[in-house]
Amino acid sequence: MIPAQRHKFNQQFSVEKYKIFMQKLEDGYLEIPFRVAETPIFVPNALKEKLILASNEIVDLIKQPNFKALTQKSIPEGWNVPNENDHPHFLTFDFGICKNEASELTPMLIEMQGFPSLYGFQNHLSNTYREVYEIDHSVNHFLNGFNEESYIQLLKDVIIGKHQAYEVALMDVDAPNQKTAIDFFVTQKMLGIKILALKDIKKVGKHLFYEEGGKQIQLKRIYNRLIFDEVANDTTIFDSSFDPREELDIEWVTHPNWFYRISKFTMPFLKSEFVPETRFLKEVQSIPTDLENYVLKPLFSFAGMGVIIDVTESDIKSIPDPENWILQKKVNYEPAVQAPDGGVKAEIRMMYLWPDGGEPQLCINLARLSRGKMIGVRYNADFDWVGGTVGFMEE
């Protein structure tokens, strides 16, 4: 998108250099099970400013005093976790890169989460791109004036807080074997915190402990990467550990309720040139005649699961729980990233950190390239010049 940067990158790209890049990316960690794109995205200043404006508009909604009341119904029955804090610690907003009526590149909101993303890996990924492909410093993967030192310090403030690193653990069902485990290990190296599977944590009274060197060590804070949707059909998984829905003496980073509050559920409340028309299905009085321009999404799913792209009237009429679905205008991605054999579609995730008692701060980004029908990595496994990447923003 920055022509000079794109030309320079494509001119010196080779398959051999990409192999070196992947070796350096995995060195000291593990083989990455998802596809990493051959190239970063070079984001011009005009598009960067629109991405920032669009993101800040969403933040303004989330900071409204009535936001919790507005989103109370987003939390599924039986999954409301006690002791919710005042705000999430993470905000991530996914924007498809499109063209507006003036033929300018513009972001359109696709997804949003009050849940952690690859906050560790994205910095490591960016540094590796810069090293292998000799990317100059007129572009930056950080935003808002952050550099590596200030970013890692903020990440420590958010995740560790006032505690010691050994009192904090990154937790998932089977953390070391998750698809995004490289982010867990990069984060551990950056912050010194533990990585624990759910079964590694035991409850005594209201306290949580893990064992190390034959000693029981109390956890004070959990960096939560567990998505309840993944375990909702089998809650016996909690029997050998602890149930997050119980009253516990633990701090959550971020509290599980925010996963639901800041999600597809929030999108119908947003009115912006950067947000496609979105309605709760239960509020759709008449089915649009141009359904080819809409997409049907379940509220409670992740990684694109359950989304119906080619919507029919019978699809809508067969939904048994319309209160749990949204009908959204399709977003037409512009193939704006030039690969050697043509244009590739792009999505950019703007990533905020929100420390306790502080303000949300936009600091880093994630990007994805796609040639498939959907943007997610799983839908592009058979293509090249697609997958996870980062946006290098014009300074």
Side-chain angles (χ1 to χ4, degrees):
M1 297 180 201
I2 301 175
Q5 293 282 358
R6 174 51 57 206
H7 178 73
K8 176 186 170 187
F9 185 94
N10 288 16
Q11 283 288 103
Q12 53 94 53
F13 176 80
S14 67
V15 173
E16 291 72 25
K17 190 168 279 193
Y18 177 63
K19 288 178 181 176
I20 293 169
F21 163 75
M22 287 302 301
Q23 288 168 359
K24 285 185 176 291
L25 197 62
E26 295 173 340
D27 186 33
Y29 294 107
L30 73 170
E31 184 177 342
I32 299 172
F34 56 86
R35 195 171 201 290
V36 179
E38 284 81 347
T39 179
I41 301 173
F42 298 106
V43 181
N45 193 58
L47 179 57
K48 179 180 80 168
E49 293 304 319
K50 288 178 185 174
L51 283 160
I52 293 170
L53 175 60
S55 300
N56 287 339
E57 287 180 355
I58 304 169
V59 171
D60 287 344
L61 174 72
I62 294 166
K63 292 178 71 176
Q64 287 181 189
N66 66 337
F67 184 75
K68 279 196 176 185
L70 203 63
T71 57
Q72 192 56 38
K73 290 182 180 178
S74 69
I75 304 169
E77 189 175 347
W79 288 99
N80 197 335
V81 173
N83 303 316
E84 183 181 329
N85 59 337
D86 292 337
H87 62 76
H89 295 93
F90 309 94
L91 295 171
T92 66
F93 308 137
D94 292 353
F95 295 95
I97 304 306
C98 309
K99 270 193 174 175
N100 60 19
E101 292 179 354
S103 293
E104 301 165 333
L105 291 178
T106 194
M108 289 297 286
L109 183 67
I110 305 298
E111 191 84 75
M112 54 195 296
Q113 288 186 321
F115 191 77
S117 185
L118 308 183
Y119 282 88
F121 177 68
Q122 284 307 110
N123 184 57
H124 171 56
L125 174 65
S126 304
N127 288 341
T128 309
Y129 272 126
R130 192 180 290 281
E131 177 189 352
V132 174
Y133 295 110
E134 299 177 359
I135 295 168
D136 66 59
H137 289 275
S138 67
V139 291
N140 200 343
H141 63 287
F142 290 118
L143 293 130
N144 200 24
F146 277 93
N147 57 33
E148 186 152 347
E149 183 181 1
S150 60
Y151 174 69
I152 292 174
Q153 185 58 55
L154 180 60
L155 204 60
K156 285 181 179 178
D157 292 344
V158 168
I159 293 175
I160 299 175
K162 62 181 184 295
H163 304 291
Q164 299 298 314
Y166 68 85
E167 298 174 315
V168 180
L170 184 156
M171 181 200 74
D172 206 335
V173 175
D174 185 14
N177 297 307
Q178 290 289 67
K179 199 167 185 179
T180 54
I182 188 164
D183 177 66
F184 301 172
F185 291 112
V186 173
T187 302
Q188 182 181 51
K189 186 175 180 180
M190 289 170 76
L191 307 184
I193 62 176
K194 302 295 297 181
I195 299 173
L196 298 177
L198 185 65
K199 61 181 173 56
D200 296 328
I201 302 173
K202 305 301 178 189
K203 183 169 77 81
V204 179
K206 290 186 178 182
H207 303 299
L208 300 178
F209 295 85
Y210 68 94
E211 185 175 315
E212 187 168 76
K215 295 181 179 180
Q216 295 296 314
I217 298 173
Q218 185 179 346
L219 279 175
K220 302 290 181 66
R221 196 167 171 96
I222 289 177
Y223 179 26
N224 181 45
R225 304 298 288 264
L226 169 62
I227 296 174
F228 286 166
D229 288 21
E230 293 181 306
V231 299
N233 295 327
D234 183 18
T235 56
T236 59
I237 196 168
F238 297 141
D239 294 347
S240 59
S241 180
F242 73 99
D243 190 327
R245 297 166 294 181
E246 297 176 358
E247 281 283 349
L248 299 166
D249 183 16
I250 195 74
E251 295 175 7
W252 293 98
V253 188
T254 193
H255 192 281
N257 289 358
W258 289 105
F259 175 77
Y260 298 108
R261 292 190 184 279
I262 300 169
S263 64
K264 289 185 285 286
F265 186 93
T266 322
M267 292 186 67
F269 301 109
L270 289 162
K271 309 301 175 191
S272 166
E273 65 174 294
F274 306 115
V275 180
E277 175 197 312
T278 306
R279 290 178 286 169
F280 292 110
L281 189 58
K282 67 176 181 179
E283 295 176 359
V284 175
Q285 300 298 318
S286 59
I287 296 174
T289 56
D290 59 337
L291 280 176
E292 69 274 9
N293 294 319
Y294 288 83
V295 61
L296 195 58
K297 296 181 178 182
L299 288 176
F300 307 115
S301 72
F302 60 99
M305 301 298 288
V307 173
I308 301 173
I309 298 176
D310 300 313
V311 187
T312 65
E313 191 170 329
S314 62
D315 287 328
I316 293 176
K317 289 182 175 177
S318 65
I319 299 291
D321 55 341
E323 68 278 6
N324 292 327
W325 290 74
I326 55 172
L327 186 66
Q328 185 178 80
K329 268 282 184 74
K330 275 184 180 174
V331 167
N332 295 313
Y333 290 78
E334 177 70 15
V337 176
Q338 292 304 309
D341 59 348
V344 181
K345 295 178 286 187
E347 194 171 278
I348 296 177
R349 174 175 294 174
M350 303 292 270
M351 297 163 59
Y352 287 74
L353 290 170
W354 197 338
D356 291 326
E359 291 292 319
Q361 298 186 54
L362 175 60
C363 46
I364 200 167
N365 78 91
L366 175 154
R368 289 177 288 192
L369 295 177
S370 171
R371 298 178 193 252
K373 205 164 191 178
M374 291 180 70
I375 204 85
V377 170
R378 72 174 67 200
Y379 304 102
N380 288 272
D382 299 325
F383 300 105
D384 62 3
W385 283 65
V386 299
T389 182
V390 68
F392 278 110
M393 310 274 179
E394 189 171 24
E395 291 278 45

